[in-house]
Amino acid sequence: VPVTISLASGTYSINVGAGGAGGIGVTNQPTAKGSNGQESSIKLGATSIITAVGGGGGGAGSAGTTALAAGNNGGSGGGGSYWSDGSRGSGTSGQGYAGGGGNSGSVTSGGGGGAGGVGDSGGSNGGKGGNGISNSITGTALFYAAGGGGGAHNSLGGAGGSGIGGNGSSK
């Protein structure tokens, strides 16, 4: 979601938050949801001008509980796992979109949401990550903030959004 602001002269600090770690979902091993990414911000002194919430982590496969299977809420929502048709995480209004839901019938996870679109739900393959948005801040139009693809068991993992999001794994 593009934002245009006018900034007064001064010294600004820009913090680009790190992405979150991927989840683990392997049969007969401990499972864990993906962790949320860190927030990014622009500050003038101690005053925050813009803060972007970190993206939501994806749900855990083979979780055994609906709570672990659901994607986390964040700037863009995390995709739900295939366990019990895992629900998707919500995005933050004005920043990103929801992730896709998981699919227990085909054992596929939903893709993560991106700044430009919702992540696809798992189907015959893992869901595609939501698209990012294009920006020319570097002088060249590049995509930013795309969602990662959903993982899959016995089929293909989903592609990352806009060609920059991480691809989902497959077993």
Side-chain angles (χ1 to χ4, degrees):
V1 179
V3 174
T4 302
I5 60 172
S6 296
L7 299 174
S9 63
T11 302
Y12 292 85
S13 61
I14 298 173
N15 176 53
V16 178
I24 300 169
V26 181
T27 305
N28 299 325
Q29 292 186 17
T31 61
K33 291 174 88 165
S35 62
N36 286 13
Q38 297 175 343
E39 73 178 27
S40 297
S41 63
I42 298 174
K43 294 182 179 182
L44 176 59
T47 304
S48 184
I49 307 299
I50 294 178
T51 299
V53 178
S62 300
T65 68
T66 303
L68 280 175
N72 291 340
N73 298 333
S76 294
S81 86
Y82 63 82
W83 182 268
S84 186
D85 291 324
S87 61
R88 60 192 188 172
S90 299
T92 299
S93 179
Q95 293 187 27
Y97 291 85
N103 185 323
S104 62
S106 58
V107 194
T108 58
S109 299
V118 174
D120 290 342
S121 291
S124 58
N125 294 313
K128 178 184 174 290
N131 286 327
I133 56 171
S134 179
N135 190 297
S136 299
I137 193 167
T138 63
T140 302
L142 298 171
F143 279 96
Y144 296 91
H153 182 77
N154 295 328
S155 63
L156 298 174
S162 300
I164 62 163
N167 293 330
S169 64
S170 60
K171 177 182 180 249

